[in-house]
């Protein structure tokens, strides 16, 4: 499922909002989540999961083309930990042969 | 710092898009529910600019009860993994926070 399919699905599930409103809402939610993570803030959605930042230590890497050693600085990467309900439902899908 | 939650997301939809509070709450709820429903059906979710939620099937493997040391197999399972997109990774890398969080 892509973002536009998600927008269509949500729009079909409710009667109040136009597709355009749902599209703006989905984009606003994703931008809000990206902003929070970029500011070092966690995201916690009960039953879905949590997003946080994991730190990657500085390390010496290599330029894959030339093989030269390069110093890579430490950085943060986004990390997602699925919540209990999501883990259980996905596993149930497996049990049901999906 | 406090974590971002659904109620703050709904609040922003109210402030920025003028949705009423009930509509805002419902659309945030549906956003996460439709992603879950899709993953439950073993279908990947690709949100461009943010990232992909992928599924991986894991075979049964040997495990141990850490308390008793007893051998018990860990059953076959399906897990969700998140792969952040380039855009999100680039934005997060710029975060110059000094306190590594977990």
């Amino acid at each position: 499922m892509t973002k536009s399919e998600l927008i269509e699905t949500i729009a079909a599930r409710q009667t109040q909002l136009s597709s355009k409103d749902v599209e703006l809402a989905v984009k606003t939610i994703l931008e809000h989540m990206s902003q929070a993570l970029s500011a070092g803030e966690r995201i916690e959605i009960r039953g879905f999961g949590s997003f946080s930042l994991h730190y990657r230590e500085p390390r010496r890497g290599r330029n894959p083309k030339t093989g030269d050693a390069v110093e890579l600085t430490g950085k943060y990467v986004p990390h997602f930990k699925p919540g209990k309900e999501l883990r259980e439902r996905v596993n149930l899908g497996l049990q049901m042969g999906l | 710092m406090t974590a971002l939650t659904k109620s703050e997301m709904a609040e922003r939809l109210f402030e920025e898009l003028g949705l009423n509070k009930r509509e805002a709450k419902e659309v945030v709820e549906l956003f996460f529910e439709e992603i879950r429903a899709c993953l439950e059906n073993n279908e990947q979710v690709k949100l461009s600019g943010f990232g992909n939620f992928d599924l991986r099937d894991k075979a049964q493997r040997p495990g141990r009860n850490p308390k008793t040391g007893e051998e018990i197999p860990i059953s076959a399972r399906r897990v969700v993994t998140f792969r952040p997109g380039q855009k999100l990774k680039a934005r997060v890398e710029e975060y110059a926070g000094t306190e590594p969080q977990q």
Side-chain angles (χ1 to χ4, degrees):
Chain A
M1 180 169 74
T2 61
K3 197 194 294 176
S4 52
E5 288 164 343
L6 174 62
I7 291 163
E8 283 171 35
T9 310
I10 296 172
R13 281 293 194 98
Q14 51 81 59
T15 50
Q16 316 293 317
L17 302 171
S18 66
S19 294
K20 188 67 199 165
D21 284 338
V22 173
E23 182 183 348
L24 285 171
V26 165
K27 290 181 173 169
T28 303
I29 292 168
L30 287 169
E31 176 55 24
H32 199 180
M33 293 172 75
S34 297
Q35 274 174 9
L37 289 171
S38 309
E41 190 184 358
R42 289 170 57 88
I43 305 169
E44 285 176 6
I45 311 297
R46 184 170 299 244
F48 184 81
S50 60
F51 296 85
S52 60
L53 300 188
H54 280 191
Y55 183 64
R56 294 279 176 266
E57 294 289 342
R59 63 188 177 89
R60 178 166 291 175
R62 286 197 181 275
N63 179 327
K65 273 198 187 127
T66 62
D68 293 345
V70 280
E71 297 301 329
L72 297 173
T73 54
K75 64 173 183 182
Y76 287 93
V77 292
H79 177 78
F80 174 65
K81 185 170 185 284
K84 187 161 181 276
E85 185 191 337
L86 179 58
R87 287 201 310 271
E88 287 174 353
R89 284 175 60 177
V90 160
N91 237 326
L92 203 65
L94 176 68
Q95 314 303 325
M96 296 195 310
L98 292 170
Chain B
M1 194 185 291
T2 60
L4 174 61
T5 61
K6 286 190 291 191
S7 60
E8 290 165 87
M9 293 179 193
E11 185 64 25
R12 183 166 292 193
L13 298 183
F14 165 73
E15 287 167 4
E16 280 194 9
L17 305 181
L19 304 195
N20 73 42
K21 299 227 174 176
R22 200 186 47 75
E23 291 166 343
K25 189 164 181 263
E26 187 183 4
V27 79
V28 169
E29 205 60 60
L30 281 169
F31 174 84
F32 291 105
E33 175 50 27
E34 293 310 325
I35 295 174
R36 269 194 301 249
C38 187
L39 294 169
E40 185 177 6
N41 283 312
N42 199 21
E43 196 193 327
Q44 178 196 39
V45 177
K46 301 199 289 189
L47 303 175
S48 70
F50 187 74
N52 296 351
F53 294 93
D54 296 325
L55 294 147
R56 289 169 73 158
D57 285 354
K58 306 265 196 177
Q60 178 179 307
R61 61 192 168 90
R64 238 174 236 289
N65 179 326
K67 275 200 186 124
T68 63
E70 184 195 359
E71 273 208 43
I72 30 167
I74 297 167
S75 58
R77 61 193 60 204
R78 178 171 292 154
V79 296
V80 177
T81 59
F82 175 67
R83 282 179 58 88
Q86 282 306 321
K87 204 168 148 195
L88 179 62
K89 277 203 277 191
R91 285 176 71 174
V92 163
E93 256 182 62
E94 285 169 22
Y95 170 63
T98 47
E99 304 155 63
Q101 43 154 260
Q102 283 311 311

